[in-house]
Amino acid sequence: MQIKSAMVNTEIKLPVYSKLAQVILGLLGFFYILYIGQEIIIPLVFAVIIAILLNPVVNFLTGKGMNRVISIFLVLLLTMVLLASLMYFIGFQLSHFSDSSDQFKQKFVLLFNDIINWVSQTFNISKDKIQAWLVKAKGKGMENGTAVIGQTLTTISGVLIYTFLLPVYIFMFLFYKPLLLEFISRLFSRNKHEVVAEVLVETKMLIQNYLIGLLIEVVIVATLNATGLLIIGLDYAILIGLIGALLNMIPYIGGLVAISIPMLLALATKEPVDALWVLAVYMLV
């Protein structure tokens, strides 16, 4: 009996370097799997996040006695209609913006020439050298044009795939949610079910609160941006304010791009002081 108990209590102790090697290899394998399966994993992750966001609405409708399949279908349909309306508004505004592109182009050319003159006078660089450098940079850009077009087409095809696949994934996650939760609970022993349920509930609430807060922030920032630009008198203030709010979700870089777009438009279409007013408005927001 003593021999058996000693054998049972014996544990294999690995050296530290062996454990560290196993951890490193495990991490490398995990990220390699994420890399090679990103085209499948990324849509699934987005579908899970959106499904968690829409789940309270589905639960509300099913609580009122509506069939679960019909509830999920109605919620997805309403979400797609809202997104389509937003995209239509942005496209409609962009079409009007493109109609004025010739006017903006002429003003940008004048502004660009003024910048070249300022650089030439300030740094004692001849205009010919500046023009030659710009032509060279333009030539390099044209050489990479084919690659850029290919990447753009790939991106567009990926967006179309996500557009058609995401609703299907979201529907499946919402419909099979009870089975998925049952599957997760069975991965652990019964004495851990309470802890697992608590972790799942807290994770769901965290994601829901974050996404709802993000949407509220976008609405507030878009409203404040558009209001400030309308007061300044900048053209297409609503479109630019909305784009700025969406770019604001990208940390650091998005905010800089969101500020630079209306400032450039103000420089091209209005007085330089209006660009400073735009900067002041965005900093205040």
Side-chain angles (χ1 to χ4, degrees):
M1 292 293 292
Q2 293 178 353
I3 296 175
K4 290 183 178 180
S5 60
M7 293 176 62
V8 170
N9 294 329
T10 301
E11 295 181 359
I12 300 177
K13 294 184 178 181
L14 297 175
V16 176
Y17 65 85
S18 178
K19 293 181 179 180
L20 182 61
Q22 291 178 6
V23 171
I24 293 174
L25 289 176
L27 289 175
L28 290 175
F30 174 72
F31 285 110
Y32 180 71
I33 291 173
L34 291 180
Y35 174 74
I36 63 175
Q38 58 183 328
E39 293 185 0
I40 299 174
I41 296 172
I42 292 176
L44 287 175
V45 171
F46 277 111
V48 170
I49 294 173
I50 298 174
I52 292 175
L53 181 62
L54 300 178
N55 184 60
V57 185
V58 175
N59 290 340
F60 174 79
L61 294 178
T62 53
K64 297 295 182 180
M66 187 178 292
N67 182 271
R68 185 169 184 83
V69 175
I70 299 176
S71 302
I72 297 173
F73 179 77
L74 288 176
V75 171
L76 282 176
L77 182 62
L78 179 61
T79 304
M80 293 176 67
V81 168
L82 291 176
L83 291 177
S85 301
L86 178 62
M87 297 303 296
Y88 174 78
F89 171 76
I90 295 176
F92 181 75
Q93 291 289 316
L94 287 175
S95 65
H96 281 278
F97 185 79
S98 62
D99 294 338
S100 306
S101 60
D102 293 335
Q103 179 184 359
F104 287 131
K105 184 177 179 181
Q106 294 175 0
K107 293 182 178 180
F108 273 117
V109 168
L110 294 176
L111 176 63
F112 189 67
N113 291 331
D114 292 339
I115 293 174
I116 290 178
N117 293 331
W118 179 81
V119 171
S120 177
Q121 295 174 2
T122 304
F123 299 99
N124 294 324
I125 302 175
S126 64
K127 295 180 181 180
D128 294 334
K129 288 184 178 180
I130 298 176
Q131 293 288 352
W133 180 81
L134 292 175
V135 170
K136 183 179 179 180
K138 183 178 179 181
K140 290 183 179 180
M142 293 298 293
E143 291 177 359
N144 298 328
T146 305
V148 172
I149 293 173
Q151 292 176 0
T152 303
L153 293 175
T154 304
T155 303
I156 294 174
S157 62
V159 169
L160 292 176
I161 291 173
Y162 287 175
T163 302
F164 289 105
L165 283 182
L166 273 180
V168 177
Y169 288 158
I170 295 169
F171 182 89
M172 292 300 176
F173 280 124
L174 289 172
F175 183 73
Y176 290 111
K177 185 190 73 171
L179 292 178
L180 293 173
L181 294 177
E182 178 67 18
F183 168 75
I184 293 174
S185 66
R186 292 195 178 189
L187 293 176
F188 301 90
S189 58
R190 288 188 176 275
N191 59 344
K192 299 290 181 63
H193 283 187
E194 185 176 349
V195 177
V196 172
E198 182 181 355
V199 170
L200 290 176
V201 170
E202 291 182 357
T203 303
K204 181 190 72 172
M205 293 300 298
L206 179 67
I207 295 174
Q208 286 178 353
N209 292 337
Y210 172 73
L211 292 177
I212 293 173
L214 201 61
L215 292 175
I216 294 173
E217 180 194 6
V218 168
V219 173
I220 294 173
V221 172
T223 304
L224 294 176
N225 286 347
T227 303
L229 296 177
L230 285 172
I231 293 174
I232 296 173
L234 196 67
D235 295 331
Y236 307 101
I238 298 177
L239 174 64
I240 296 172
L242 178 59
I243 293 176
L246 295 175
L247 289 173
N248 190 54
M249 293 189 294
I250 304 174
Y252 306 113
I253 298 177
L256 295 176
V257 176
I259 294 176
S260 62
I261 292 174
M263 287 187 66
L264 288 174
L265 286 175
L267 285 173
T269 60
K270 301 179 78 64
E271 299 297 327
V273 67
D274 293 311
L276 297 178
W277 280 115
V278 170
L279 177 62
V281 167
Y282 272 66
M283 293 300 292
L284 179 62
V285 173

